[in-house]
Amino acid sequence: MFHRRGALRQNVHEKGSSRGSETMEQNRYRPGQRAAFHDKNMEQEGCWILRSKERVQMALSHEEPDRVPFTATYVPEVVKRLRAVKGEGEYDVGVAMGNDCVKTAVGLEMSFYGSNDPEYTCKWGIRWRNVTNYTGHYTEIIDHPLAGDESQLDSFQIPDPLEESQYDDCRKIIKRYGKEKWIIGSCQISIFEASWYLRGLDQFMMDMALNKDYAHALMDKVMQFPLKAAKKYIQLGVDMVWFGDDVATQTNMMISPPMWREYLKPRYAKIFEECKKTNPNTKIAYHSCGNCEAIIPEMIEIGLDVLNPIQPASMNPFEIKRKYGKDICLFGGLDVQHTMPFGTPELVRTDVKRLIEGCGKGGGYILSPAHHIQSDTSNENIFAFYAAADTF
């Protein structure tokens, strides 16, 4: 049963109570330990108050915290709109909105929205263009640097995963929020997607079937970035490292499970092992849009802690929780294809309540939209999400 704080649901520690800070440091949550900071004003209500960091840690230890942790990320147009409401005072606008997690990123995923120019080339040599739609814009690849001649792979060099300046944002976030928030170091577009971004999707899928030596060589090269970046993140002090490869469509796997086992399972097993060697307490998260249920048991087998985004148009979050919730934590679940952009605030509230009640029991769940909140989502629905997440 969740401990509810009603109208008093205000994180005293995060609001700067020196007494709260001191007491929470003394009572820092440890796995298996139910106790958390509380003060006499809250004691009459039977209320526990956790910092975001402890709240997430408790949930990821499969225990129920004071409430289900929640977080959201946004496309640039939404960031701009939320800044107009919340102001520029907070470095991370998600913190101003109430997120329990703060994410920082390096690597190929930083190539999205890499420039405002009509076309641009990212550090990986991939050429992109900006495309405008009726609510904002998005970016898409127009040229793959390793398309064509296979011999180009011999001289191709990935960007330096240890170049220090790319971790400046991480250092700033840890310094500013590290004691309060759950810090995520992300390096998505990790192996499969990085390979086909460089080679072209059709060509790389054929390589995996017909030109296996090339496919293995390319994957071996690109996996060095997330491997080394993750270890760097852990050394800097993040709470969780985040990888990602979309290997599924809305209905099923994009590649067969045997092909996934040949190419991706051993490489992720190696990365996860190295992460745990660096710090066994660091959590490991993985993102794949679509219906990736076929590989969930084997992702658990190789050490995955957290699966994102549990895309509800592809997988039933409640069924995934029922089948795998004792062995893996779920992160996501709120529909961004229908509910968030086209539903009413009341529908958002209803879906949030259902997710908290259906996935939050026993811990092991972080409530979040199943992708970045898109530019076609109203402010009213965004604020409805946060209000409902903090109510139920």
Side-chain angles (χ1 to χ4, degrees), residues 314-335:
S314 304
M315 297 191 293
N316 184 322
F318 310 111
E319 280 298 299
I320 299 299
K321 174 74 174 184
R322 182 184 66 81
K323 291 180 180 179
Y324 310 107
K326 291 183 179 179
D327 300 311
I328 198 168
C329 300
L330 308 184
F331 187 136
L334 181 62
D335 180 27

Side-chain angles (χ1 to χ4, degrees), residues 322-383:
R322 182 184 66 81
K323 291 180 180 179
Y324 310 107
K326 291 183 179 179
D327 300 311
I328 198 168
C329 300
L330 308 184
F331 187 136
L334 181 62
D335 180 27
V336 296
Q337 294 172 264
H338 306 96
T339 300
M340 286 299 288
F342 305 121
T344 63
E346 185 56 36
L347 179 59
V348 173
R349 178 182 173 90
T350 298
D351 279 8
V352 166
K353 185 173 187 290
R354 288 175 63 242
L355 284 165
I356 288 174
E357 292 176 347
C359 294
K361 292 179 181 178
Y365 181 54
I366 298 175
L367 170 68
S368 177
H371 213 291
H372 304 307
I373 295 177
Q374 300 293 305
S375 57
D376 57 358
T377 301
S378 68
N379 280 10
E380 289 77 11
N381 280 3
I382 296 171
F383 280 92

Side-chain angles (χ1 to χ4, degrees), residues 80-90 93 96-98 383:
K80 184 176 181 180
R81 280 163 33 200
L82 296 180
R83 285 285 187 199
V85 176
K86 289 293 185 178
E88 300 289 336
E90 197 64 68
V93 70
M97 294 297 294
F383 280 92

